Amino acid sequence: MDKKDNCALLIIDMINNFKFKHGEVLADEAKQVSENIFSLKKKMQEKKRPIIYINDHYKLWQADFQKISEKCTNELSRPIIEQLYPDDTDFFLIKPMHSAFYGTALNMLLDNLEVQHLILTGIAGNICVLFSANDAYMRGYKLSVPSDCIASNDKHDNEYALRMMKNVLQADIGDSRQIKI
């Protein structure tokens, strides 16, 4: 594999408790994209590409996906968390704010893994995914944001975020079956 072709899958905030305004709506949207994210994750595993979970910390401030998953699991989140539960070979980072890069070791990890291409998935497409894509673009990463692998609590906001990522950040926003790994 050529270094310039090395890509990583980012799964943003899919371990979530959905206990906030519009959380039920976002949980429904997240369920719809979780199967596509799972399929993409399996393709990445087959090609031995890095899979990196970036997640809110839920006031635990520990990059421990088991503890965060336990804290977040409830009736709304259970099917999503069970489907996308991190494997032992996956990386797991916590973030203090919206962007996956802000206040995290993500950039150093990606540099260490010699990643040049990021595939961003997760929620919310119009906030955390968009802000992460913006920060990745400013750092020179090639971006793919599969349109069927991000969700927001408002479909119009999600579509707008996808347009922004395509038009401003030069992201490939084809669906997950079209993304080149």
Side-chain angles (χ1 to χ4, degrees):
M1 170 177 53
D2 190 339
K3 178 181 173 180
K4 69 179 168 83
D5 296 328
N6 196 10
C7 66
L9 174 64
L10 300 187
I11 300 174
I12 301 170
D13 289 337
M14 291 299 286
I15 299 175
N16 201 299
N17 66 10
F18 301 101
K19 296 290 185 183
F20 47 83
K21 185 177 181 182
H22 307 298
E24 284 187 41
V25 173
L26 188 55
D28 287 341
E29 295 294 322
K31 283 179 202 166
Q32 291 179 34
V33 301
S34 63
E35 183 64 39
N36 297 327
I37 296 171
F38 180 75
S39 294
L40 194 53
K41 179 180 175 177
K42 291 299 170 198
K43 289 178 192 173
M44 294 291 285
Q45 287 173 326
E46 288 169 10
K47 295 200 178 228
K48 299 189 182 335
R49 306 284 186 155
I51 297 160
I52 306 167
Y53 285 75
I54 313 286
N55 220 87
D56 287 336
H57 55 77
Y58 291 93
K59 298 183 182 176
L60 292 175
W61 287 102
Q62 296 175 343
D64 183 328
F65 65 84
Q66 293 170 331
K67 285 182 181 178
I68 291 174
S69 295
E70 286 172 19
K71 183 166 186 162
C72 289
T73 300
N74 58 46
E75 191 175 301
L76 287 172
S77 66
R78 180 172 279 107
I80 298 162
I81 292 172
E82 286 177 354
Q83 182 170 49
L84 292 175
Y85 196 79
D87 295 321
D88 290 339
T89 57
D90 297 336
F91 296 93
F92 187 86
L93 301 173
I94 57 171
K95 61 184 181 63
M97 295 294 291
H98 307 308
S99 172
F101 287 89
Y102 179 79
T104 74
L106 180 59
N107 204 49
M108 288 192 299
L109 174 61
L110 295 171
D111 186 54
N112 185 268
L113 297 171
E114 299 182 335
V115 169
Q116 302 297 318
H117 176 195
L118 296 177
I119 302 170
L120 282 76
T121 65
I123 57 175
N126 63 328
I127 304 171
C128 298
V129 176
L130 176 61
F131 293 4
S132 298
N134 184 68
D135 283 355
Y137 175 77
M138 290 191 304
R139 287 167 173 80
Y141 290 100
K142 177 182 174 187
L143 298 175
S144 296
V145 184
S147 58
D148 60 343
C149 291
I150 70 164
S152 303
N153 62 4
D154 180 284
K155 288 187 187 293
H156 296 296
D157 288 350
N158 204 61
E159 290 167 9
Y160 179 76
L162 283 165
R163 275 196 315 276
M164 291 292 293
M165 288 183 270
K166 178 183 179 187
N167 296 335
V168 177
L169 308 178
Q170 282 86 52
D172 175 0
I173 62 165
D175 72 29
S176 58
R177 295 176 306 252
Q178 298 171 322
I179 298 298
K180 291 184 175 122
I181 297 174

